[in-house]
Amino acid sequence: MGQVGWKGLCLSLFDYKTEKYVIAKNKKVGILYRVVQLSILAYLVGWVFVVKKGYQDSDTSIQSSVITKLKGVAFTNTSELGERLWDVADYVIPPQGENVFFVMTNLIVTPNQRQDTCPESTGIRDALCSKNRDCPAGEAVIAGNGVKTGRCLKVGSNTNGTCEILAWCPVEKKSKTKKPLLANAENFTVYIKNSIRFPKFKFSKTNVLNTDDDSYLKNCHYSAQHLYCPIFHLGKLVSWAGNNFQDMASEGGVIGIQIEWDCDLDKPPSECNPHYSFSRLDNKFAEKSISSGYNFRFAKYYRDAEGVEYRTLIKAYGIRFDVMVNGKAGKFNIIPTIINVGSGLALMGAGAFFCDVVLLYLMKKSNFYRGKKYEEVKSSSRKSQPGGTVNGNQNSESLATLEQLRQLQTVEA
């Protein structure tokens, strides 16, 4: 590149360029352009700012604690346990009150189990035998209750029997009452205290009414009139999840309690309220399936007068309640506001580009419009200085260029 070329490049750095606008008197494209603009404006105002609150900074890292307490008593009369009164220490597991708690509604009791030898249950496939060698000593029974001793025990003249095992004897009973023993658990109440905090905004709140009245929580239950009384009947929790408590109590199940906090911190704190929703988390359509329900086993251990340990084995059926807390908080911040406004202006430019495509490539007179929008400049073989004179007269091309810069070109459709 010569010296003249470098000089022209350096001087061009100080040039100012401005756009040349062509006004197309075309009603179809004009209407389309306004429709696109209004659509973008409606999206920006309606969706971004009103619905999504794009003018706010948000915090979704909610910090939460849940405390639960149950109350209620039930009475049962069974052959294994006799007459018995059940309170929260008996049917609530775990007792310390966490965000997951289990309420026992039905049970199978196998009392007075001791470590001894006894026949394995006939329902265990790996324990079926016809001779002693089918029960190798020291081998654990697959999905069974103990370890084989090497003997095959038969009843009467039967050719087949079950292996003798070393286990807690007698082995667990399999029968279960069709009607739940603790059917009255439907009337038990649970107190769910939830405290939340949004660390970004240093905002904290709880779902319990802030009052000095000691009798408030003793006399209220959750309702539309008492949003800040988180005391619920278990029967209502299950019904709000779309299920019947008595049907669910026989085999057990899992209920989810969702607490949602959606807080607009541009409003008073009293406007930040908890919203509850309830659902069944296990498969309610598989109630007749072998995998339906919810149960587990636990034992209570004792010692007799001789110091020999024995236990009562309980297979507990019931309803597990999972308390889940989610939430977000928002507060005005200038940075997201500027970002969303800038995005809206960029979309306006995209709308203009779309209308340009329609005008220049999809209309019948697209060639005509393209010719008016884009000018083709060819270099002349004759050297002349722009804005100078030829034989004492100003260059005609320079005059035409100046005239075009002074006037706004109007194109008739």
Side-chain angles (χ1 to χ4, degrees):
M1 183 180 293
Q3 183 177 359
V4 177
W6 282 107
K7 183 179 180 181
L9 179 61
C10 293
L11 291 175
S12 67
L13 295 176
F14 302 99
D15 292 343
Y16 171 73
K17 299 178 180 63
T18 185
E19 294 182 358
K20 173 184 175 182
Y21 291 95
V22 178
I23 299 177
K25 296 288 187 177
N26 188 305
K27 292 183 179 180
K28 294 181 180 179
V29 179
I31 293 173
L32 176 63
Y33 182 53
R34 297 308 175 193
V35 169
V36 171
Q37 282 185 321
L38 289 175
S39 300
I40 294 173
L41 187 63
Y43 163 78
L44 184 64
V45 175
W47 178 256
V48 175
F49 285 104
V50 176
V51 178
K52 291 307 216 177
K53 297 180 180 177
Y55 56 88
Q56 290 184 335
D57 188 14
S58 62
D59 184 8
T60 57
S61 58
I62 184 173
Q63 298 173 348
S64 170
S65 70
V66 175
I67 299 173
T68 58
K69 294 180 181 179
L70 280 95
K71 287 188 177 181
V73 294
F75 177 79
T76 60
N77 188 358
T78 63
S79 58
E80 295 86 358
L81 299 174
E83 294 184 351
R84 180 167 181 175
L85 185 72
W86 299 77
D87 61 13
V88 292
D90 299 313
Y91 60 74
V92 178
I93 303 170
Q96 63 265 33
E98 300 177 348
N99 61 332
V100 176
F101 60 94
F102 172 84
V103 178
M104 185 164 54
T105 56
N106 205 1
L107 67 158
I108 300 174
V109 180
T110 307
N112 299 321
Q113 282 189 324
R114 299 171 185 266
Q115 290 201 10
D116 201 350
T117 57
C118 55
E120 178 62 281
S121 172
T122 56
I124 306 299
R125 224 168 158 191
D126 188 49
L128 300 178
C129 62
S130 58
K131 43 190 167 304
N132 289 339
R133 65 182 181 183
D134 294 333
C135 306
E139 182 181 278
V141 181
I142 299 175
N145 297 288
V147 178
K148 299 174 184 177
T149 63
R151 296 178 58 197
C152 180
L153 303 180
K154 302 175 184 178
V155 178
S157 60
N158 292 335
T159 57
N160 295 321
T162 58
C163 294
E164 183 185 61
I165 60 171
L166 174 63
W168 287 95
C169 298
V171 295
E172 180 186 53
K173 296 180 179 180
K174 297 298 181 182
S175 60
K176 179 174 92 278
T177 59
K178 293 183 179 181
K179 184 179 179 181
L181 291 177
L182 297 176
N184 289 335
E186 183 174 7
N187 299 318
F188 295 170
T189 60
V190 58
Y191 167 67
I192 304 175
K193 181 182 179 180
N194 177 218
S195 300
I196 58 101
R197 181 176 182 269
F198 292 102
K200 180 182 288 188
F201 305 120
K202 298 180 180 179
F203 176 81
S204 302
K205 198 169 184 181
T206 182
N207 65 337
V208 182
L209 183 67
N210 187 13
T211 178
D212 296 330
D213 186 1
D214 296 337
S215 63
Y216 177 73
L217 291 178
K218 296 179 181 179
N219 300 319
C220 70
H221 289 90
Y222 175 79
S223 65
Q225 292 75 32
H226 297 282
L227 292 176
Y228 283 87
C229 178
I231 298 178
F232 304 87
H233 279 101
L234 297 187
K236 288 186 177 180
L237 289 179
V238 176
S239 64
W240 288 336
N243 292 265
N244 181 274
F245 187 91
Q246 297 300 324
D247 294 339
M248 196 172 178
S250 179
E251 294 290 338
V254 183
I255 294 293
I257 303 172
Q258 182 77 41
I259 306 178
E260 189 77 25
W261 295 85
D262 189 359
C263 300
D264 185 352
L265 300 185
D266 293 326
K267 298 179 180 178
S270 59
E271 298 293 323
C272 176
N273 298 316
H275 299 277
Y276 298 87
S277 60
F278 312 90
S279 60
R280 182 167 181 176
L281 301 181
D282 63 320
N283 188 0
K284 68 178 181 180
F285 300 106
E287 291 181 352
K288 297 183 180 180
S289 171
I290 57 174
S291 62
S292 63
Y294 184 82
N295 63 78
F296 62 93
R297 295 172 177 84
F298 66 95
K300 296 184 177 182
Y301 293 86
Y302 311 91
R303 288 188 181 273
D304 59 16
E306 288 76 25
V308 178
E309 186 180 43
Y310 67 99
R311 74 179 189 181
T312 297
L313 179 66
I314 298 175
K315 184 177 182 181
Y317 295 82
I319 303 175
R320 193 182 82 176
F321 295 87
D322 292 7
V323 183
M324 299 164 287
V325 182
N326 290 314
K328 66 176 182 178
K331 194 173 185 179
F332 175 78
N333 191 301
I334 191 62
I335 294 177
T337 304
I338 293 175
I339 292 174
N340 285 302
V341 170
S343 300
L345 295 176
L347 285 176
M348 290 290 187
F353 173 78
F354 173 73
C355 292
D356 276 351
V357 171
V358 173
L359 181 68
L360 301 178
Y361 298 100
L362 302 179
M363 301 291 292
K364 291 182 179 179
K365 297 181 180 181
S366 58
N367 291 331
F368 171 73
Y369 290 118
R370 280 203 305 274
K372 294 298 182 180
K373 182 173 178 64
Y374 303 109
E375 291 185 4
E376 184 177 349
V377 180
K378 296 181 179 179
S379 60
S380 176
S381 59
R382 182 180 178 181
K383 295 182 180 179
S384 60
Q385 295 180 353
T389 59
V390 179
N391 297 326
N393 296 321
Q394 193 173 18
N395 193 331
S396 60
E397 292 183 0
S398 177
L399 289 173
T401 302
L402 292 173
E403 185 65 23
Q404 289 178 351
L405 290 174
R406 294 192 186 99
Q407 296 181 356
L408 183 66
Q409 191 177 47
T410 304
V411 179
E412 297 290 343

